[in-house]
Amino acid sequence: MSGEIKRIDLIKKMAVFQDFSWSSAVRDEGDNVVEFKKINIFYGRNYSGKTTLSRIFRAMETGSISDKYTSPEFQLSFDDETNVTQKSLNGHDQVIRVFNEDFVKENLRFIVDDQHTINSFAILGEDNAKLEKEIKQHEIDLGSEEDKSGLIGKMLEAVENHRLATKKHSERSSGLEGKLRDKANKTGTGIKHNKTFGDANYNLPKIKEDIKTVTANSYTPITFEQVDKYHELLKEESKEKIPESTAFNLKNSTFVTRAKELVEKKIQAADPIQELLNDAVLEAWVRNGREHHKNKRTKCAFCGSDLPADLWEKLDKHFNQESEDLRIAIEALLTSIDVEKSRIPNLLKIKSSDFYSNFSSDLETLGKQFSAQSTAYCKTLESIKEQLEKRKSDIFTPLIFDDPTSVEQELNAVRDFYEELRNESNQFRASLSAQQSEARAALRLHEVFTFITDIKYADECKAIEALKKAMDKAEKAKSTAKAEVDTKKAKISELKAQLKDESKGADRVNDYLNNYFGHPFLSLKAIEDTSDDTSTGYRFEVTRNNKKAFHLSEGECGLIAFCYFMAKLDDVETKGSQPIIWIDDPISSLDANHIFFVYSLINAEIVKPKNYKQLFISTHNLDFLKYLKRISNDYKGKGENKVKIREFFLIERNGNSSCLSLMPCYLKRYVTEFNYLFHQIYKSATTESINDKNYKDFYSFGNNARKFFEIYLYYKYPNQGMNAETLSYFFGDEKVPAILTDRINNEYSHLAGVFERGSTPIEVPEMTTTANFILQKIREKDLDQYSALLKSIGVKDEEPQTAVEGQ
């Protein structure tokens, strides 16, 4: 249910309101935005836009706006945070009643054309006490917004509970939403700006989708090792295809077979020399020496003795061809084994840089395996060599060959492992882009998972869901309470319909005309409408001395129109509804007495009985404004929440555009100009020094003092007004004050005869002294008036400063 209107947020393209913004224009001295109060008074000169404002409110009453406006825009805000615009005129549930020229044209066509009548309206009749009693009881049950009683009070409480529940839910939801939004795209920290796994289009809906993913039972969080792995993967750039490695072609098996054959081969010397057979070292020495001497020397190179003639024949028989062939075969095999050993380290070149980083662990394992199996393979070859060397050293003695454990298969398996990794790396190269996309997605989901864990997302959702249930419950209670209010109102309307009496509407208008304005000869008459057989209503007719009136004066038209509006506030559609009321300049063409009576009627029938929710009154008349300042200035609320229920506004037109603002203090504070002038003299008397804030008080002092004396002395000496003689009467025998005052009134007011006065600074001490003289004399001559003047400017009665002669 809409509450009071807080402000008119904006008005565009509506007559003189071209581009008005409340938040920019309606601010107090502390630059705070001011809002409407319960009672709101507007002052504006003719053509400043008062009626335009009233038409905005009337549009909310009637549900339509004049088609004479071209593309008008406006928005009003209520204190329950709802608003109404030109497109949603029915977006409120308040009863609004507006008095302006449009109301007059619509309801009192007689005023425009005396061939027409005045629309009738029904007020509650007075003949059915039982129904009235029943209606009264229903109205008590219904209660009111003012005292928050009955069903309305229950509904207001439900509305407030729903508002608070909605606020709590909104704040908690907005808080979580803000965290998600920041995580999604806040500059610097948001996922959107993460160069590793971010998405340039990442936003709030996307993070919500990711949250659904990571909170599903199917999601498994990745480990820190996987996180590191994915980060490394994202650093990868496409590598060249790795070529196939060369087959090892290991010869271990061949070496074993051949070595066994040579080591175990049996040979026999033709005529062996036993001594050599018994000493293998000696035999080796002889064999080597044989190569150095045969066919080369006749003497021993060691001892110098002559070599025996049959030496070579004996040695040839010992070292026969078979033994030499075996020796040569062993040496050849040893050379082959050495060649094999030398190529083992270079069998497999493992370059980590050729592979992607996700293969680093496997490559490390591969390297260790290759190193271990290469070493084992070399040890096998060394075992074969040792046995060959041993047989070589004792060529005539066969040995049993010790077959070493073969690692040839294991070493080839290392190459197979390498080939697997190589093929995988080459395949990975083809799918790198897809895998990096998967890595980015995995890292992003990991980031989201970590984030919702940190903020306790699940707990937040549970809390918000609980608040949502509370809000729904409060909304249901609000709907129930509203339905009860609507049902009760419908019942009251049904009963009131049985009491409709349109003839009484005219009587109510006549009561106002006679009792408030003293017009016994001018009245409204309810005439039964017999224009057709089906008509059962009435029409109103203006009469003068019981005859239909013609040629009404403008003032008479205004009085009838306003009394008609006031009476219509008691019709069956309005009475008891606490309407929002706008009264636009109701005193046009009225004299001073009638202006006072209009004020009295508003105060007595609307303000004092509190038959309204909000009241808005606009005027161009300063006398009427003076009376409006007397309207209730009560407070509502308690303690820090205590606020006044009345506010004053000014409507000003500048060229072709108007603006609404707070009413200046000088216009709002003073009942008459006389009070204002007295206040200016008082401020000049009590100010010790001139500064940037108060210099205007002194520059205006001459004019203010002259105008004050013109008013004061005119009423004190109506036969003379203000002149040198009456100034002397006022100040008595003290000539200095009279002379000073006369000088200030003339030289400082309008430079009478002293043009050079305008080229010199204002003399503050002289003015302060004169201002104190004036206050002191008023106090001496009329203490009651002095006290009343002080009270009118908000100052407690006090003794003015004593002027020192010569100052």
Side-chain angles (χ1 to χ4, degrees):
M1 183 174 182
S2 302
E4 294 184 0
I5 298 172
K6 292 197 300 183
R7 56 184 176 270
I8 306 175
D9 296 313
L10 60 91
I11 312 175
K12 295 183 179 180
K13 299 180 181 179
M14 284 195 69
V16 291
F17 287 96
Q18 294 297 309
D19 190 10
F20 167 74
S21 171
W22 182 282
S23 60
S24 299
V26 187
R27 291 178 174 268
D28 59 19
E29 293 180 353
D31 201 33
N32 302 301
V33 176
V34 178
E35 296 178 346
F36 284 136
K37 300 288 194 303
K38 191 172 182 66
I39 299 176
N40 304 278
I41 310 299
F42 300 82
Y43 173 74
R45 296 179 180 177
N46 287 330
Y47 315 112
S48 62
K50 298 186 299 298
T51 300
T52 300
L53 293 180
S54 72
R55 282 181 173 139
I56 292 176
F57 278 67
R58 184 160 171 79
M60 291 194 292
E61 177 185 2
T62 63
S64 63
I65 192 169
S66 173
D67 58 6
K68 300 298 188 294
Y69 293 118
T70 302
S71 302
E73 291 183 45
F74 60 81
Q75 176 173 302
L76 291 87
S77 294
F78 288 78
D79 60 10
D80 64 351
E81 300 181 0
T82 60
N83 58 65
V84 172
T85 70
Q86 74 282 354
K87 295 181 180 179
S88 59
L89 294 172
N90 296 317
H92 66 93
D93 54 6
Q94 294 300 307
V95 176
I96 298 177
R97 297 292 180 258
V98 177
F99 175 78
N100 64 4
E101 62 181 49
D102 297 334
F103 170 86
V104 175
K105 290 177 182 177
E106 182 177 326
N107 293 279
L108 296 96
R109 291 188 293 275
F110 173 84
I111 291 176
V112 180
D113 184 352
D114 57 21
Q115 297 302 313
H116 287 84
T117 57
I118 297 174
N119 294 345
S120 65
F121 58 87
I123 62 175
L124 295 181
E126 302 173 357
D127 300 326
N128 197 327
K130 182 180 179 181
L131 283 177
E132 288 180 346
K133 184 177 180 180
E134 188 176 352
I135 289 170
K136 185 175 181 180
Q137 183 57 52
H138 282 299
E139 288 179 338
I140 292 173
D141 294 341
L142 180 64
S144 68
E145 291 186 33
E146 190 69 27
D147 55 12
K148 296 181 174 58
S149 61
L151 294 176
I152 289 179
K154 179 182 175 182
M155 182 187 68
L156 291 175
E157 182 180 0
V159 168
E160 178 63 14
N161 290 339
H162 177 254
R163 186 188 71 80
L164 292 175
T166 301
K167 182 181 178 182
K168 289 180 180 179
H169 176 262
S170 176
E171 288 176 349
R172 196 72 177 258
S173 298
S174 298
L176 180 58
E177 194 95 336
K179 291 179 181 178
L180 297 184
R181 184 179 291 104
D182 286 347
K183 187 60 182 176
N185 54 27
K186 185 176 182 180
T187 302
T189 58
I191 291 175
K192 176 179 180 178
H193 304 284
N194 190 307
K195 294 181 180 180
T196 302
F197 54 79
D199 174 0
N201 297 314
Y202 202 73
N203 53 21
L204 185 61
K206 288 188 176 182
I207 196 173
K208 287 183 177 180
E209 285 300 315
D210 283 347
I211 289 174
K212 288 181 182 179
T213 301
V214 300
T215 53
N217 293 331
S218 57
Y219 177 76
T220 302
I222 60 177
T223 64
F224 290 114
E225 290 75 11
Q226 287 174 304
V227 169
D228 294 338
K229 182 179 177 181
Y230 283 136
H231 277 293
E232 290 299 320
L233 175 60
L234 292 176
K235 296 177 183 178
E236 297 287 7
E237 296 181 359
S238 183
K239 297 179 181 294
E240 293 295 328
K241 187 175 182 181
I242 306 171
E244 183 180 359
S245 63
T246 304
F248 288 175
N249 295 323
L250 300 175
K251 300 177 181 180
N252 181 72
S253 300
T254 303
F255 290 157
V256 168
T257 302
R258 180 63 173 155
K260 181 177 178 63
E261 178 186 341
L262 296 177
V263 169
E264 294 182 348
K265 187 175 182 179
K266 295 178 179 181
I267 59 171
Q268 197 163 8
D271 189 5
I273 301 172
Q274 191 63 40
E275 189 178 3
L276 295 181
L277 291 176
N278 295 335
D279 191 342
V281 176
L282 179 61
E283 182 186 48
W285 182 79
V286 171
R287 184 174 56 80
N288 288 330
R290 179 170 171 258
E291 292 178 0
H292 292 289
H293 290 79
K294 187 177 181 181
N295 300 326
K296 295 179 182 179
R297 292 176 179 272
T298 59
K299 291 182 182 292
C300 178
F302 179 71
C303 66
S305 300
D306 291 333
L307 296 174
D310 60 348
L311 179 61
W312 306 118
E313 182 182 355
K314 290 180 180 180
L315 290 179
D316 286 341
K317 290 178 179 181
H318 182 84
F319 296 106
N320 58 18
Q321 187 63 41
E322 187 178 9
S323 67
E324 289 303 308
D325 290 342
L326 178 57
R327 191 183 304 280
I328 292 171
I330 290 174
E331 288 178 350
L333 184 54
L334 287 171
T335 301
S336 296
I337 291 173
D338 287 337
V339 171
E340 179 77 351
K341 281 184 63 179
S342 65
R343 74 183 187 92
I344 294 303
N346 299 315
L347 283 177
L348 188 63
K349 298 294 186 181
I350 303 174
K351 294 179 64 176
S352 298
S353 59
D354 290 343
F355 290 79
Y356 293 100
S357 60
N358 54 323
F359 293 96
S360 58
S361 178
D362 289 336
L363 289 173
E364 184 178 353
T365 300
L366 177 67
K368 291 179 180 179
Q369 289 179 358
F370 178 69
S371 177
Q373 297 305 324
S374 296
T375 302
Y377 185 70
C378 288
K379 286 182 178 180
T380 300
L381 296 179
E382 281 296 327
S383 175
I384 296 171
K385 279 184 66 178
E386 287 176 3
Q387 295 183 71
L388 288 172
E389 290 287 356
K390 187 174 183 181
R391 177 60 192 271
K392 179 185 171 185
S393 65
D394 191 2
I395 198 70
F396 292 105
T397 305
L399 302 174
I400 297 174
F401 184 76
D402 183 9
D403 194 353
T405 302
S406 175
V407 294
E408 188 173 355
Q409 186 176 354
E410 287 79 354
L411 193 54
N412 282 324
V414 172
R415 177 180 180 269
D416 293 339
F417 184 25
Y418 173 84
E419 284 299 306
E420 288 178 12
L421 296 179
R422 180 185 69 83
N423 289 327
E424 288 179 12
S425 182
N426 289 339
Q427 291 172 4
F428 182 83
R429 173 175 175 267
S431 61
L432 177 61
S433 178
Q435 295 208 35
Q436 286 182 329
S437 295
E438 292 177 4
R440 289 190 185 91
L443 288 173
R444 188 185 70 249
L445 291 176
H446 174 71
E447 183 78 5
V448 172
F449 178 79
T450 303
F451 166 69
I452 65 171
T453 301
D454 291 343
I455 67 169
K456 298 181 179 178
Y457 177 80
D459 293 342
E460 281 294 304
C461 289
K462 288 180 182 178
I464 291 171
E465 181 60 26
L467 292 174
K468 174 69 165 56
K469 290 180 179 178
M471 181 180 70
D472 292 342
K473 183 178 180 181
E475 184 175 17
K476 186 176 180 180
K478 183 185 77 171
S479 299
T480 301
K482 187 176 186 302
E484 291 176 348
V485 169
D486 292 342
T487 301
K488 184 63 71 174
K489 284 183 176 179
K491 182 63 178 177
I492 292 172
S493 297
E494 178 186 345
L495 294 174
K496 284 183 176 180
Q498 301 175 35
L499 296 176
K500 281 186 177 180
D501 189 347
E502 293 185 353
S503 65
K504 298 297 181 181
D507 293 342
R508 185 62 54 86
V509 176
N510 295 333
D511 286 343
Y512 290 151
L513 284 172
N514 295 333
N515 295 334
Y516 280 91
F517 299 101
H519 279 276
F521 306 111
L522 193 64
S523 62
L524 286 189
K525 184 177 182 180
I527 302 174
E528 189 170 0
D529 189 357
T530 59
S531 57
D532 57 66
D533 296 337
T534 61
S535 176
T536 58
Y538 287 81
R539 56 186 173 84
F540 290 168
E541 188 174 84
V542 181
T543 64
R544 183 184 281 118
N545 295 323
N546 295 320
K547 295 181 179 180
K548 185 174 182 178
F550 296 94
H551 307 302
L552 297 177
S553 69
E554 189 173 349
E556 289 174 327
C557 290
L559 281 180
I560 292 173
F562 186 66
C563 289
Y564 176 88
F565 173 78
M566 292 295 296
K568 204 170 185 304
L569 292 177
D570 280 336
D571 67 11
V572 292
E573 286 82 16
T574 309
K575 187 173 182 179
S577 63
Q578 292 295 104
I580 294 174
I581 302 172
W582 183 294
I583 300 175
D584 178 36
D585 226 351
I587 45 77
S588 180
S589 302
L590 298 181
D591 59 24
N593 284 335
H594 285 149
I595 289 172
F596 174 76
F597 289 134
V598 167
Y599 156 74
S600 299
L601 181 57
I602 293 172
N603 198 41
E605 297 295 321
I606 298 177
V607 178
K608 285 188 175 181
K610 299 181 180 179
N611 293 327
Y612 67 102
K613 174 172 284 188
Q614 266 183 295
L615 179 61
F616 300 83
I617 307 175
S618 63
T619 185
H620 75 287
N621 187 285
L622 287 172
D623 286 335
F624 189 45
L625 177 63
K626 175 182 67 177
Y627 294 127
L628 292 177
K629 293 175 182 178
R630 302 179 185 178
I631 281 184
S632 172
N633 194 24
D634 293 338
Y635 291 85
K636 68 176 182 178
K638 296 180 179 180
E640 295 181 355
N641 297 322
K642 185 178 180 182
V643 293
K644 289 186 176 181
I645 67 169
R646 188 182 67 177
E647 190 57 85
F648 290 84
F649 299 90
L650 181 66
I651 308 172
E652 288 186 293
R653 178 171 180 171
N654 185 9
N656 293 324
S657 181
S658 287
C659 183
L660 184 65
S661 61
L662 282 180
M663 187 177 289
C665 289
Y666 75 86
L667 192 58
K668 179 172 65 175
R669 181 179 299 171
Y670 304 107
V671 177
T672 67
E673 185 178 16
F674 184 62
N675 301 78
Y676 170 76
L677 295 171
F678 177 80
H679 193 186
Q680 301 310 303
I681 294 172
Y682 181 84
K683 287 196 291 185
S684 297
T686 56
T687 301
E688 296 181 357
S689 62
I690 189 170
N691 55 47
D692 289 340
K693 293 183 179 179
N694 61 25
Y695 74 93
K696 291 183 180 179
D697 297 337
F698 293 97
Y699 272 87
S700 303
F701 179 78
N703 281 325
N704 293 334
R706 177 178 56 79
K707 290 170 71 176
F708 175 81
F709 275 116
E710 284 178 352
I711 298 171
Y712 181 85
L713 294 177
Y714 175 79
Y715 283 102
K716 194 166 186 66
Y717 308 108
N719 62 324
Q720 297 184 65
M722 185 187 78
N723 54 39
E725 188 174 356
T726 54
L727 282 173
S728 297
Y729 291 160
F730 177 72
F731 285 108
D733 296 333
E734 298 183 56
K735 295 182 179 180
V736 173
I739 294 171
L740 282 175
T741 304
D742 185 58
R743 178 190 175 195
I744 290 172
N745 286 350
N746 286 281
E747 292 185 21
Y748 287 101
S749 175
H750 46 269
L751 306 179
V754 190
F755 181 74
E756 63 275 9
R757 173 70 261 170
S759 63
T760 58
I762 298 296
E763 296 183 35
V764 177
E766 187 175 289
M767 291 185 178
T768 302
T769 300
T770 303
N772 273 289
F773 278 135
I774 294 171
L775 297 182
Q776 187 174 338
K777 283 300 177 183
I778 296 174
R779 182 183 178 90
E780 290 175 1
K781 290 181 175 294
D782 194 339
L783 180 60
D784 289 341
Q785 184 178 35
Y786 179 76
S787 297
L789 283 170
L790 286 178
K791 290 178 181 179
S792 74
I793 63 172
V795 178
K796 293 182 180 180
D797 194 359
E798 57 185 22
E799 187 78 31
Q801 297 178 11
T802 303
V804 179
E805 187 174 353
Q807 278 190 335

